Amino acid sequence: MRANIERTGKKRVVIVGGGLGGLELTFSLLGAGYQVVLVDKNNYHQFPPLIYQVASGGLEPSSISFPFRRLFQGNKDFFFRMAEAESVDTREKILRTSIGTIQYDYLVLAAGAKTNFFGNKHIESTTLPMKTVSQAMHLRNTILQNLEKAEVEDDPERKQALMNVVVVGGGASGVEIAGAIAEMKINIIARDYPDLDSSQMHIYLVNAGDRLLAGMDPRSSARAERDLKRLHVHVRQPQFATDYRDGVLETSAGLRIPAATVIWVSGICANHIGGVPAESLGHGGRLLTDRFCRVKGLEGVYAIGDQSLVEGDGEYPLGHPQLAQVAMQQAKTVADNLRRQLKGEAPKPFKYKNLGTMATIGRNHAVAEIAGRKFGGFLAWVLWLVVHLRSILGVKNKASFF
Ligand SMILES: Cc1cc2nc3c(=O)[nH]c(=O)nc-3n(C[C@H](O)[C@H](O)[C@H](O)COP(=O)(O)OP(=O)(O)OC[C@H]3O[C@@H](n4cnc5c(N)ncnc54)[C@H](O)[C@@H]3O)c2cc1C
């Protein structure tokens, strides 16, 4: 089977994954003299930084999901195929997918990462990840269904377990979802479930490290912890989840928390693609690339975003953080270099410009670190709101340009 895409006179760039990196690359390459083929296992782009809002009922999925076919409507150099990429054959310059093979001149792997359960199959099958919009919807439904059950449960222990929520992982996703559920408890559950004593809904945040938001300054960590405690979130650290059996989450410190809802946001690993030699893989399964985002040992293949790890940047010896800005800036570098290639110009290396990091804690608090300045509270939250609204509007504006 072939993916049925006609060859034109233009060289073809196949992009695997229309996430933050792949979408930016597609926008940047259109009109650059290439035929662009975007392959994604979903037919819509999703905006991960606001997924926790979908999980906690603050936003509907349609607010952060954009159909690829609508985004690039009417562009004759653009093709979309909904398919799962399976493996690469660099000798034949072919990508093998669930709908057949696709030939490429240049291949860009931007398939992102998935939740890391650290090999614990039992935890994987019983806890709730939060990487995609559909997982966020499942999470939201699980919380609400457990509350419905709690309302009619007579046994007090069982009732308590149905109301408890445990978040495992004290990074940005863990902090944001714990804060959002705490707000949900105050603003929605107290009103919608008048027969339940919502003050008895306990939210736990279990973190393996000794401070939250380990990638940020310790002052931001302390501030985030204080804000979460203000929302009555029980922060338990340093201790890691060891198992979740018979509805009880166990931790390395001997804590046992009965909870029907356990959210697992304690790490990620890169999505796998076949045909890549072992020496091209770095820690967390990330594809090793040079400073130009070219995958080590695979000619004509680039990798960007969470799936990749750029070697040789002295400032980031362990690789760049798996963040939106890294993926989007790498996309711009690859697009720029592919344009240069057509003009016979030398490529330019990727240089990450850190525009800052932020995390929200509940409805109107956040912590932010921008240009060496650290701040928190309402001001940081307003800034967070502006940045994310701009990003979402940016997708819509770029789409209406075509
Ligand atoms: C809940 C959450 C909140 C986050 N919040 C922030 C934040 O506030 N700030 C920040 O900077 N970063 C944040 N991040 C991280 C950020 O979203 C990622 O770093 C960024 O999305 C990476 O972009 P990417 O293009 O590499 O991958 P992604 O955006 O994850 O896109 C990967 C794409 O590949 C597709 N795909 C996967 N496998 C296949 C396959 N085999 N075949 C075809 N398609 C495939 C997926 O459907 C998806 O469209 C957050 C992440 C999550 C999960």
Side-chain angles (χ1 to χ4, degrees), residues 16-23 39-42 44-52 68 83-86 110-113 130-132 172-173 176 268 271-273 304-307 321-325 327 358 384 388:
V16 178
L20 290 178
L23 194 74
V39 178
D40 198 294
K41 59 184 179 180
N42 299 309
Y44 54 88
H45 166 77
Q46 45 196 326
F47 185 73
L50 292 179
I51 279 178
Y52 82 93
F68 293 120
E84 191 139 357
E86 290 165 352
M130 195 187 63
K131 272 289 286 169
T132 64
S173 293
E176 292 191 333
I268 56 171
N271 276 321
H272 174 75
I273 184 133
I304 59 172
D306 286 1
Q307 200 181 15
Q322 286 160 298
L323 290 175
Q325 273 304 320
M358 288 186 253
W384 174 91
H388 288 87

Side-chain angles (χ1 to χ4, degrees), residues 86-131:
E86 290 165 352
S87 65
V88 188
D89 179 342
T90 47
R91 215 162 41 96
E92 300 288 330
K93 291 200 155 194
I94 276 174
L95 174 75
R96 294 187 204 288
T97 77
S98 53
I99 58 160
T101 57
I102 304 176
Q103 277 201 322
Y104 64 81
D105 294 301
Y106 300 102
L107 177 67
V108 186
L109 300 171
K114 60 183 179 190
T115 304
N116 192 351
F117 294 95
F118 305 99
N120 190 324
K121 290 284 168 209
H122 185 249
I123 283 188
E124 183 172 348
S125 63
T126 49
T127 63
L128 301 162
M130 195 187 63
K131 272 289 286 169

